[in-house]
Amino acid sequence: MRTLSLPLALTARISPVVVLAAAGWALTSGPATKPATHEESAPQSAAESPSGTATAAPTKRYAAAPAPCGSIGAATIKSLVPGAKTAGKEIPSTDAALRRTCSWNALKGFDYRWLDVSFEITESDQAAAKSFKENVADKSGGGPVPGVGDAGYSVVNLSTEDKQQTREGVVMIQASNALVTVTYNGSDFESKKAPSTDEINKGAIKAAKEAVAALESGQKT
């Protein structure tokens, strides 16, 4: 009987204990209101700064991350991760209101697939856009994903360990003040080859579109 040996990197990913830390954001109140005096003819408008110039309130569309394990349809999970439980497994987070991640993985025969979907809520559209640009800069070599959210990017890379290939696709989407990240990878332990770039890229983008749709259909502020 043939014994299946997983590469060290994939063995670590299959481990059931994964800890994801999420950064917290501090919300601060505006400047204290100046005490009124008899010389003031009218109170200062809340929509104006002390100089009298109108200021826009910070944009915050999404107040909390949606349930990640319900963001991808069962049919998509069965297609992208054959043999995986469609319910998925949510990764523990230090602040589930701001960041939530769900994972699906399975080894069916000699084919291994792993899918992660992560939601992160930032303090504003501007903060999300800044983080998106920084993340894209860290993963060069990909291309834009049009028609999803406010900005989208996809990149696929091939790695080899102990002659075993693994191909991984990452799709990052900015939608208002939310960031959606999908990671999808796979390996064939019989041929030692990885799935094609097209298969991994299309699968990651399909999952990302469903995740963004789930975000947009949820509660908004």
Side-chain angles (χ1 to χ4, degrees), residues 4 27 30 40 45 52 54 76 96 109 127 156 179 188 200 214-215:
L4 184 59
L27 298 178
E40 296 176 332
S45 169
T76 299
V156 178
L179 295 169
D188 184 325
I200 293 298
L215 173 72

Side-chain angles (χ1 to χ4, degrees), residues 161-181:
E161 182 178 342
D162 297 331
K163 298 182 180 181
Q164 173 65 61
Q165 293 183 344
T166 299
R167 184 166 271 117
E168 179 171 278
V170 178
V171 175
M172 297 176 286
I173 305 293
Q174 181 221 337
S176 189
N177 66 309
L179 295 169
V180 180
T181 303

Side-chain angles (χ1 to χ4, degrees), residues 73-219:
T76 299
I77 296 301
K78 290 178 181 178
S79 172
L80 299 183
V81 193
K85 294 181 178 179
T86 57
K89 180 176 181 179
E90 185 162 357
I91 306 302
S93 171
T94 56
D95 192 339
L98 299 178
R99 179 183 293 232
R100 297 180 72 176
T101 298
C102 189
S103 289
W104 297 262
N105 66 86
L107 180 65
K108 186 172 183 180
F110 293 98
D111 288 328
Y112 172 76
R113 296 293 185 274
W114 177 290
L115 176 68
D116 276 353
V117 175
S118 176
F119 295 93
E120 180 179 345
I121 305 301
T122 69
E123 59 188 3
S124 67
D125 288 22
Q126 293 75 20
K130 181 176 182 292
S131 182
F132 173 82
K133 290 178 181 178
E134 291 172 348
N135 292 338
V136 168
D138 288 339
K139 293 184 178 295
S140 61
V145 178
V148 187
D150 298 315
Y153 180 80
S154 174
V155 62
V156 178
N157 288 307
L158 177 68
S159 61
T160 303
E161 182 178 342
D162 297 331
K163 298 182 180 181
Q164 173 65 61
Q165 293 183 344
T166 299
R167 184 166 271 117
E168 179 171 278
V170 178
V171 175
M172 297 176 286
I173 305 293
Q174 181 221 337
S176 189
N177 66 309
L179 295 169
V180 180
T181 303
V182 169
T183 303
Y184 180 49
N185 66 40
S187 299
D188 184 325
F189 294 126
E190 183 173 32
S191 68
K192 298 290 185 178
K193 302 296 184 181
S196 69
T197 297
D198 191 56
E199 177 184 341
I200 293 298
N201 190 49
K202 286 183 176 179
I205 291 175
K206 178 177 176 61
K209 287 180 177 180
E210 290 192 20
V212 172
L215 173 72
E216 292 175 342
S217 66
Q219 278 193 327

Side-chain angles (χ1 to χ4, degrees), residues 20-37:
L20 245 175
W25 286 269
L27 298 178
T28 57
S29 60
T33 304
K34 179 177 133 183
T37 68

